[in-house]
Amino acid sequence: MGLVTTRAVVLQTYRYSETSKILRLMTWDLGPCSALARGALRPRSRFGGLLEPFVEGEATFYSREGRDLHTLSGFELRRDRRGLDRSIELFTIASVLCELVMRLAPEHDDPALYRALTEGLDGLHARVREKAPAGLEYVWGVVNALGFRPEVERCVSCRRAIGVNRARFDFEAGGLRCGSCGPAGPKLDPEEVDTLRTLVSGGPADGRRANGRQARWAAEFIRHHVAEGAQLKSLPFLSRLGRPGS
Ligand SMILES: [Zn+2]
């Protein structure tokens, strides 16, 4: 394929040798890729310390057919989203978005998933200065783009509309279950069902309602229904959001 230039988001970085880094990228043109950034850790690297998670730019690399690791030759900054680590909530959610894409993106370009990822990271970054930031709708946005949108309107078992009766969130079945279809998963009151529907459709939900319980349910849904056995390191942190001391 030769030289490729494409928009790319840095999902994760690993140290490689004394001076280099390996980047996991989500690219617009090729989908997920890995690239070796030679010399990125040198003090006067041309990459200038930019190659950190959540950052987006125009990446140029040499791509060879049949090789998984490309060699990065340039990275021109488009979106500098550093600063997300000033909020534990935002950092956790941004990490979940990146890890979901890194572990579960298809091995080809996926414009809808790329957009869900970048809209999420931009939306989170815009909330850095808010007192009670939330952003669970972006987790659902990426889950939806991966093809795992939860069923929140009809019972996953009997298909009847979920009404005012207490619903349960049946993570393994992939959505809400009505009161008549037997217990599986935690109970939601009508307000919580409303909030979940808002978040799944792209939110935003009232910060008070988009609380730790909603974060835990998103984490459980991903664990049981989306990740299928893959261990995502960021999920336990998502589960703990909203608990005292976190
Ligand atoms: Zn039912």
Side-chain angles (χ1 to χ4, degrees), residues 30-70:
L30 306 174
C33 286
S34 294
L36 174 62
R38 283 189 207 282
L41 294 171
R42 287 206 182 97
R44 283 199 248 162
S45 161
R46 65 201 148 127
F47 300 120
L50 278 179
L51 301 175
E52 296 295 335
F54 319 137
V55 165
E56 185 176 5
E58 296 283 332
T60 300
F61 48 78
Y62 295 97
S63 167
R64 274 191 230 148
E65 207 71 55
R67 287 213 32 195
D68 288 338
L69 186 62
H70 310 303

Side-chain angles (χ1 to χ4, degrees), residues 154-160 162 176-182:
R154 294 182 172 280
C155 170
V156 289
S157 176
C158 69
R159 307 301 302 157
R160 278 192 294 242
I162 297 284
L176 297 182
R177 166 184 283 268
C178 76
S180 326
C181 278

Side-chain angles (χ1 to χ4, degrees), residues 77-243:
L77 183 67
R78 287 283 179 266
R79 293 281 207 189
D80 181 352
R81 304 189 182 98
R82 287 175 293 182
L84 276 168
D85 55 359
R86 275 181 265 160
S87 152
I88 186 75
E89 285 87 0
L90 298 176
F91 182 80
T92 297
I93 293 172
S95 303
V96 170
L97 303 188
C98 287
E99 200 176 7
L100 280 171
V101 171
M102 194 167 72
R103 301 294 292 274
L104 300 165
E107 291 295 319
H108 53 72
D109 63 316
D110 188 335
L113 182 58
Y114 190 96
R115 275 194 209 100
L117 171 67
T118 52
E119 281 171 19
L121 294 175
D122 283 340
L124 295 170
H125 193 249
R127 292 178 192 179
V128 163
R129 286 171 204 291
E130 286 180 21
K131 265 202 188 128
L136 289 174
E137 67 269 31
Y138 301 123
V139 173
W140 288 117
V142 167
V143 166
N144 294 345
L146 285 166
F148 293 98
R149 188 184 179 94
E151 174 57 78
V152 289
E153 301 299 332
R154 294 182 172 280
C155 170
V156 289
S157 176
C158 69
R159 307 301 302 157
R160 278 192 294 242
I162 297 284
V164 290
N165 287 338
R166 292 196 84 135
R168 287 176 181 271
F169 202 157
D170 184 341
F171 304 119
E172 282 179 32
L176 297 182
R177 166 184 283 268
C178 76
S180 326
C181 278
K187 282 182 185 168
L188 287 74
D189 66 28
E191 193 176 275
E192 289 171 331
V193 171
D194 260 3
T195 301
L196 179 65
R197 284 176 177 158
T198 303
L199 292 170
V200 167
S201 334
D206 180 321
R208 189 175 47 82
R209 291 190 190 179
N211 53 20
R213 278 165 67 80
Q214 294 281 350
R216 211 144 55 239
W217 296 333
E220 288 301 308
F221 182 85
I222 292 167
R223 182 174 295 124
H224 291 283
H225 195 72
V226 180
E228 291 183 349
Q231 298 291 327
L232 302 191
K233 285 186 205 141
S234 54
L235 281 189
F237 296 96
L238 184 62
S239 291
R240 286 201 286 272
L241 282 189
R243 283 197 199 165

